[in-house]
Amino acid sequence: MIKFNEEKFPVVYVYIDGVNTIQDLQTYLNRFDNWLSRQEYFGIILQQNFPQQAQGKPSKEVKKLEIEWSKQNKHRISKYCLGMAIVIDSKEIFEKWQPIASQSILNMFGCPGQVFAAIPQAEEWMAKQMQDAR
């Protein structure tokens, strides 16, 4: 399941429970496209709930769609998205992704990114990203 909170735009919050389905991913990409279409700077704080469940390999269809969409939109993402902060509440998974997250996010989406253990840390980093952009 995926939920959104856009009340604090230009920072948007995305909450994902468990494994992304193709419908969840399509919903996320549609919203992402809407944020990009505003042609305004924004940042994403994505909280992955139940990350142990999400560690399973996504379906080929989900992975393919995500890769294709990010390639097609990388220029727009790098222009308008000031950062992606991914919050992972599993210490084990956080430690696995923390060393590679910033480079992986930059390579795939073209914007700065980082993983965090809690939302307040992600918000602090995002505030700095927003401030540095001004």
Side-chain angles (χ1 to χ4, degrees):
M1 176 180 278
I2 189 165
K3 295 179 185 176
F4 302 91
N5 181 343
E6 300 172 5
E7 292 176 10
K8 295 181 180 180
F9 193 89
V11 177
V12 294
Y13 291 77
V14 180
Y15 306 94
I16 299 174
D17 289 337
V19 179
N20 249 345
T21 66
I22 193 72
Q23 294 84 10
D24 290 339
L25 181 60
Q26 192 62 59
T27 299
Y28 174 67
L29 297 179
N30 289 341
R31 285 284 181 96
F32 207 137
D33 191 57
N34 288 339
W35 303 325
L36 292 169
S37 295
R38 292 180 180 205
Q39 297 183 351
E40 298 175 39
Y41 296 123
F42 69 96
I44 299 170
I45 297 178
L46 188 150
Q47 182 171 357
Q48 175 67 60
N49 298 316
F50 311 110
Q52 296 84 351
Q53 293 173 8
Q55 280 297 104
K57 295 196 184 259
S59 74
K60 289 180 183 179
E61 185 181 23
V62 167
K63 193 68 177 161
K64 181 180 177 187
L65 177 60
E66 183 177 33
I67 290 169
E68 286 177 4
W69 189 90
S70 64
K71 283 181 182 177
Q72 292 169 0
N73 292 281
K74 190 172 183 177
H75 175 74
R76 290 177 20 175
I77 297 168
S78 66
K79 184 173 182 177
Y80 296 114
C81 185
L82 299 177
M84 288 185 175
I86 301 172
V87 179
I88 301 173
D89 67 359
S90 163
K91 181 179 178 187
E92 186 178 299
I93 296 171
F94 170 81
E95 288 175 355
K96 176 183 174 184
W97 284 103
Q98 200 277 330
I100 62 171
S102 74
Q103 193 61 50
S104 296
I105 294 167
L106 185 61
N107 289 345
M108 186 157 177
F109 296 100
C111 68
Q114 192 58 260
V115 295
F116 298 91
I119 285 184
Q121 297 164 332
E123 290 172 329
E124 185 178 313
W125 179 83
M126 188 62 69
K128 184 175 181 342
Q129 295 300 111
M130 296 286 175
Q131 185 176 30
D132 290 351
R134 293 178 189 183

